[in-house]
Amino acid sequence: MKSEAISALERLQSNGCVQMDQGEVIDKVFNALKWNGFYQTSRTAILLLSLVNIALTAASVVFIGKPVDYKCRRLQSLNITIQDVSYDFTLNRSSIPYEIIYTQCSVDVRNGSDLVFTSSCRDGYEYAESMTSSFVAEWDLVCNEESFSDISQTVLVVGEMFGCLFLTRFADRYGRKVSFIVTSLLFLAANMTCAVSPNFIFYLVFRFITGLSVACSQQLSYIMMIEMMPTEHRALPEKLSSFLWPVSLLCLCLVAYLTKELSWHYTQLCLSMFAIYVIFLWWITDESIRWLCAVKRYKEVEKLVKKIARINRVDPQDALDILRTNGLSPFESNGVERDYNNKEVLISPTMIDVHSSHPDKKLSVFIKNRNLFKVTVVSCYSWFVVSLSYDGLLFISPNLNEDFYLGFLLGVVSEFPATLLFCVLINRLGRKKCNVVFHIMAGIFILLSTLILNTPLYDMIPGQYWVSLALALLGRLSVTAAFSTILTHVSEMFPTSVRNTGLGFAAAALYLGSTIAPYSRTLTCSVGA
């Protein structure tokens, strides 16, 4: 009976009445087309460039908005009355028994150690470097406005959040390719416009647009990459991305160092030029085969399959036969055009809309199901902590050394062994053990580094600087490994039916951590002062 049932199922499948799971069918198509051929290799390399864009954009504020030493500019005139006596400090300073002291945020008049008069920096500020070396100096984002430079990064992250929440939905309706190209072009235009910002408000507006577009384009590029590969090889883009991120930060440091004598406008413009390739995306990228099959544009699917086969130098017939046998082609397996009006169509599981259920019911599941509620709370807290820790350490990494650029470089270099550890241990120890171990290591190293720097016994520790530096770098290494681990672990903890919703909650917590992290620079400067 079992053999008869299997034979009947095979006959139905050969007649096009029963479909395999659509994902399995397309996996077979990609394997028949040589999944690791030149087509996939070249397109993956192009799509990975979006990660370079988001890395350069996210960390660029470290250099274009770097803090610059400053103090009040000398006043052109100062007339004050002390004990009913009027003094003009601009005429004859030698006859006045008071001293003018120009501090960072005030002009003080002192009689010995006594403060007799204080005023704000009415004539502006003097900077140790060129006023165009940083937008902080150009727009006087100091003293009471010191946190404004960090607000620019917060605005970027809020833009990224809006882009992921709203713009990515257009890819399901209009296709991956069109949405990816439009958002990539928008990113290039907005990022270049930031380089010519005449004032801070103008810069914030286009910084928001930059974040909105770069996050959307990067997410779409990742979707296009994993949809271009068989399911069993979908982890490859994530591993490549984990190595490409620190490489991108090294490029950022190099560009910033080479342009350090120029205006921050030129640095921003140079970083924007990394995305100039998006002008040619229409001719060097293709639509996702999985999306084309989902919307039943089968003629375009066959055309793309033939293109991939030609580039990979394989025979497309096997792939076409798989599509035609499983009803994903405008033709029957014998070459006759398929009539969908008279054909019985059975929906495969992968074509069912996971968002079709009522959203209120999905949300109630997270509250009523105790275990799912715990997973959600722990995931949100973990993503918030690891995002806050990683981004915070990234923004203050220049403080690791007296040389601003060397300090940033040291922090980036520590990410390479972290990525290697993640790739080696994630499958050997498992997600949970790696997650726990890396978080504990990060907490211990960062805490020890902080305690050593602030202990009264700091000067008594032999090689205190190198000990503190080693602990700080080990902390950065551990946080980086924890970040990669938690992203992988959390995505596998939620059931398939509510995974998108659960990851949405966790992503919101991640963005919240990223919006707070930039203020670590201001806190560090305040503590240092």
Side-chain angles (χ1 to χ4, degrees):
M1 293 294 293
K2 183 177 180 181
S3 61
E4 292 178 1
I6 293 175
S7 299
L9 183 62
E10 290 176 347
R11 287 196 300 272
L12 286 171
Q13 183 175 331
S14 63
N15 292 329
C17 296
V18 176
Q19 284 186 305
M20 296 172 58
D21 181 274
Q22 191 183 93
E24 294 179 1
V25 174
I26 299 176
D27 284 349
K28 288 187 175 182
V29 170
F30 284 132
N31 285 323
L33 293 172
K34 191 178 180 182
W35 73 271
N36 57 348
F38 180 77
Y39 177 88
Q40 285 82 356
T41 303
S42 59
R43 269 54 180 184
T44 298
I46 294 169
L47 294 172
L48 280 173
L49 291 176
S50 292
L51 184 68
V52 177
N53 293 335
I54 198 169
L56 298 180
T57 303
S60 62
V61 70
V62 174
F63 299 101
I64 65 175
K66 65 181 179 181
V68 181
D69 291 335
Y70 64 95
K71 66 177 182 178
C72 285
R73 182 177 287 119
R74 289 185 173 276
L75 298 177
Q76 298 296 322
S77 62
L78 178 61
N79 296 282
I80 61 175
T81 300
I82 303 175
Q83 296 178 351
D84 298 329
V85 179
S86 179
Y87 295 95
D88 186 350
F89 285 82
T90 59
L91 295 178
N92 188 3
R93 292 281 307 278
S94 60
S95 62
I96 299 176
Y98 299 104
E99 179 184 9
I100 299 181
I101 299 176
Y102 293 91
T103 65
Q104 284 190 333
C105 300
S106 65
V107 179
D108 298 336
V109 178
R110 291 183 176 274
N111 183 9
S113 60
D114 297 330
L115 178 65
V116 296
F117 176 83
T118 185
S119 171
S120 61
C121 303
R122 296 180 301 184
D123 289 348
Y125 305 89
E126 292 180 353
Y127 294 94
E129 301 179 28
S130 169
M131 289 188 63
T132 58
S133 62
S134 166
F135 66 69
V136 169
E138 180 171 343
W139 294 323
D140 289 337
L141 304 181
V142 294
C143 296
N144 294 333
E145 299 180 352
E146 184 178 7
S147 62
F148 281 21
S149 61
D150 300 325
I151 290 177
S152 68
Q153 187 67 16
T154 299
V155 168
L156 176 75
V157 176
V158 172
E160 292 176 355
M161 181 168 57
F162 271 83
C164 290
L165 289 176
F166 301 109
L167 290 188
T168 50
R169 299 184 180 184
F170 288 98
D172 293 329
R173 175 174 296 183
Y174 301 107
R176 293 2 180 180
K177 178 179 178 179
V178 172
S179 302
F180 174 60
I181 293 175
V182 170
T183 53
S184 297
L185 289 172
L186 179 61
F187 162 73
L188 176 63
N191 209 23
M192 294 183 70
T193 304
C194 285
V196 294
S197 299
N199 55 63
F200 187 58
I201 300 300
F202 186 94
Y203 176 77
L204 288 182
V205 171
F206 281 91
R207 188 72 168 167
F208 175 85
I209 299 174
T210 299
L212 182 140
S213 54
V214 73
C216 184
S217 64
Q218 195 277 327
Q219 184 170 337
L220 288 176
S221 69
Y222 183 76
I223 292 173
M224 293 171 72
M225 276 190 289
I226 64 174
E227 290 184 349
M228 191 170 54
M229 295 184 178
T231 304
E232 62 268 22
H233 298 293
R234 284 186 175 181
L236 182 59
E238 186 173 347
K239 290 182 179 180
L240 293 174
S241 299
S242 63
F243 279 100
L244 185 59
W245 179 269
V247 171
S248 304
L249 295 180
L250 288 179
C251 292
L252 168 63
C253 186
L254 177 62
V255 172
Y257 180 78
L258 294 176
T259 59
K260 65 179 181 179
E261 301 298 333
L262 303 176
S263 167
W264 73 267
H265 296 276
Y266 289 105
T267 304
Q268 174 70 24
L269 186 61
C270 290
L271 295 175
S272 304
M273 297 305 291
F274 276 83
I276 197 66
Y277 71 92
V278 303
I279 297 175
F280 308 100
L281 282 178
W282 183 262
W283 297 277
I284 57 179
T285 57
D286 297 298
E287 187 55 83
S288 167
I289 287 183
R290 297 181 190 272
W291 182 82
L292 290 174
C293 288
V295 297
K296 300 181 180 180
R297 289 163 56 173
Y298 298 131
K299 289 185 179 180
E300 295 179 45
V301 172
E302 289 212 349
K303 182 179 179 181
L304 182 54
V305 165
K306 293 177 181 178
K307 176 181 178 179
I308 296 173
R310 184 179 69 254
I311 295 175
N312 288 347
R313 297 182 180 180
V314 297
D315 186 0
Q317 195 57 48
D318 291 341
L320 293 175
D321 288 342
I322 295 172
L323 290 172
R324 292 171 181 177
T325 302
N326 292 277
L328 299 180
S329 170
F331 301 99
E332 302 278 4
S333 57
N334 58 5
V336 178
E337 188 167 358
R338 190 183 299 272
D339 183 7
Y340 285 98
N341 294 324
N342 299 324
K343 179 67 65 176
E344 181 182 1
V345 178
L346 300 180
I347 302 177
S348 73
T350 56
M351 296 179 68
I352 298 176
D353 186 5
V354 296
H355 302 288
S356 59
S357 59
H358 199 279
D360 292 340
K361 294 182 179 180
K362 280 196 172 186
L363 293 177
S364 65
V365 171
F366 287 88
I367 300 175
K368 294 179 180 179
N369 189 311
R370 190 172 182 179
N371 290 331
L372 189 57
F373 179 77
K374 288 181 180 179
V375 169
T376 304
V377 172
V378 172
S379 299
C380 290
Y381 180 74
S382 299
W383 275 28
F384 170 80
V385 170
V386 77
S387 173
L388 178 63
S389 302
Y390 176 82
D391 288 349
L393 292 176
L394 175 67
F395 291 130
I396 65 174
S397 59
N399 298 329
L400 291 174
N401 190 272
E402 292 182 358
D403 188 307
F404 188 86
Y405 300 91
L406 181 57
F408 184 85
L409 179 64
L410 290 173
V412 174
V413 170
S414 68
E415 294 194 14
F416 287 99
T419 302
L420 185 61
L421 277 177
F422 164 74
C423 294
V424 171
L425 298 179
I426 190 66
N427 291 323
R428 296 187 180 185
L429 294 182
R431 276 59 164 162
K432 183 177 180 179
K433 288 183 179 179
C434 284
N435 196 9
V436 172
V437 169
F438 288 139
H439 274 82
I440 292 176
M441 288 173 56
I444 292 175
F445 288 135
I446 294 174
L447 181 61
L448 287 176
S449 176
T450 304
L451 290 176
I452 289 177
L453 282 175
N454 294 278
T455 180
L457 302 177
Y458 176 75
D459 294 332
M460 300 175 59
I461 300 175
Q464 62 269 28
Y465 168 76
W466 297 106
V467 172
S468 177
L469 177 62
L471 291 172
L473 293 178
L474 287 172
R476 173 75 175 270
L477 181 152
S478 303
V479 168
T480 303
F483 202 125
S484 300
T485 304
I486 197 67
L487 291 179
T488 305
H489 190 199
V490 168
S491 63
E492 298 173 353
M493 291 173 65
F494 291 101
T496 304
S497 58
V498 294
R499 180 169 295 151
N500 287 338
T501 307
L503 289 178
F505 286 131
L510 183 143
Y511 280 116
L512 179 60
S514 295
T515 58
I516 300 174
Y519 297 94
S520 60
R521 297 197 309 160
T522 304
L523 291 174
T524 302
C525 293
S526 299
V527 172

